[in-house]
Amino acid sequence: FRSAKIAVQISMDYNIGLHGLVEDTEEYENKIKEIHLKAANRLLEGCMLNGGLYIKIGQGLAAINHILPVEYTETLKKLEDQCLTRKKDEVKKLFIEDFGKAPEEIFAEFDYQAIAAASLAQVFRAKTKEGHDVAVKVQYKDLQRRFKGDVATILFLQDLIAMVHKNYNFGWMLRDLRKSIQMELDFVNEARNGERCAEDMKHFKYVHIPKVYHELTGTQVLTCEFIDNACKISDID
């Protein structure tokens, strides 16, 4: 219902705001930029409130800066580091689902304070029973259950918008994102991809791919070597 409400509000913003204006005029260009920004902020708020898949799709849209208006991409970039953390009990329940044990039974140490929170998972610092520092990526518990319903809602709303606004043709992006997100929900697959990446890039001495701990990895939990002093890949300096 929240998603539908936002879709209707954005649709009305464009219909009412641009009514009577002539395309390619200065007045039209100024107005549409204003509406783009207003719509982007509505999307941002909706993604944050709905969480999970909505945040991931918002991040995907933010990356398409060669197609979408800058008002959308710059606003939705906030989703890269403004994601929500979850409660300790949820993390423990997910471990029991994947391993049949709580984190403190599997690791020598496990810090329940997340060091990072993204769209699909949180990352925690831990120490294996052999004494290795590791980063543990733990998926949000409701993602698998919500995936089909969230995708169906998003695609239904975008198809509805495409019927009303003939110039809207971004449905292909959402369908493309759906395929990649579905693969991202399987952390065993991500672990294999990490090792394949390490093998393919082993001749580059300046590239390091974190080691995967397979015995501590499941569909919803990924355990890797912890890297100190890491920086975001977008921090070029």
Side-chain angles (χ1 to χ4, degrees):
F1 283 117
R2 181 188 291 127
S3 302
K5 178 184 175 184
I6 291 169
V8 169
Q9 287 174 327
I10 291 174
S11 180
M12 290 176 65
D13 287 340
Y14 281 99
N15 275 334
I16 296 170
L18 298 176
H19 181 70
L21 297 182
V22 180
E23 286 190 47
D24 299 325
T25 62
E26 185 177 349
E27 185 183 8
Y28 179 91
E29 291 303 319
N30 289 337
K31 190 63 179 178
I32 200 166
K33 286 179 181 178
E34 179 187 317
I35 297 171
H36 283 337
L37 184 59
K38 186 177 181 180
N41 279 310
R42 288 194 194 278
L43 277 180
L44 175 64
E45 183 183 10
C47 288
M48 289 296 295
L49 290 170
N50 286 350
L53 187 62
Y54 287 86
I55 290 178
K56 191 65 181 178
I57 286 180
Q59 290 174 342
L61 293 176
I64 310 175
N65 54 11
H66 57 296
I67 297 176
L68 290 178
V70 66
E71 291 82 9
Y72 279 93
T73 56
E74 288 301 310
T75 301
L76 294 174
K77 269 184 183 178
K78 295 174 184 175
L79 292 170
E80 292 176 1
D81 48 24
Q82 288 190 10
C83 300
L84 307 175
T85 57
R86 300 292 184 92
K87 295 177 182 177
K88 174 180 175 179
D89 287 349
E90 180 177 318
V91 175
K92 188 172 286 191
K93 286 176 184 175
L94 193 139
F95 261 87
I96 291 170
E97 273 185 24
D98 256 20
F99 301 104
K101 296 179 181 178
E104 49 268 35
E105 297 178 77
I106 296 173
F107 297 96
E109 298 174 17
F110 187 91
D111 186 354
Y112 278 98
Q113 183 66 44
I115 58 173
S119 55
L120 303 182
Q122 298 175 80
V123 178
F124 302 88
R125 189 161 191 167
K127 190 182 288 288
T128 68
K129 291 183 176 179
E130 293 74 32
H132 302 297
D133 289 324
V134 289
V136 186
K137 183 177 177 181
V138 182
Q139 198 173 112
Y140 296 127
K141 194 173 185 301
D142 57 353
L143 273 186
Q144 301 279 352
R145 177 177 55 80
R146 284 180 49 183
F147 183 80
K148 288 183 180 178
D150 283 353
V151 167
T153 300
I154 292 166
L155 292 178
F156 171 75
L157 290 173
Q158 85 82 32
D159 287 344
L160 207 59
I161 291 168
M163 289 172 61
V164 177
H165 299 274
K166 302 304 179 185
N167 292 331
Y168 175 89
N169 60 349
F170 298 120
W172 63 270
M173 288 192 297
L174 295 176
R175 286 181 165 81
D176 200 47
L177 283 170
R178 175 184 61 178
K179 298 172 190 173
S180 62
I181 292 170
Q182 196 160 13
M183 288 188 286
E184 283 188 58
L185 290 177
D186 182 358
F187 286 176
V188 173
N189 182 55
E190 183 172 335
R192 286 196 297 264
N193 286 339
E195 292 188 325
R196 178 181 173 187
C197 187
E199 179 62 25
D200 289 346
M201 303 185 79
K202 64 183 180 183
H203 55 291
F204 293 117
K205 301 301 180 188
Y206 51 84
V207 174
H208 180 77
I209 310 297
K211 174 187 173 183
V212 174
Y213 289 79
H214 286 283
E215 69 280 8
L216 301 172
T217 293
T219 306
Q220 302 172 91
V221 177
L222 174 63
T223 303
C224 290
E225 165 191 6
F226 191 92
I227 305 297
D228 284 305
N229 303 317
C231 60
K232 288 183 71 171
I233 196 167
S234 57
D235 184 353
I236 298 170
D237 290 339

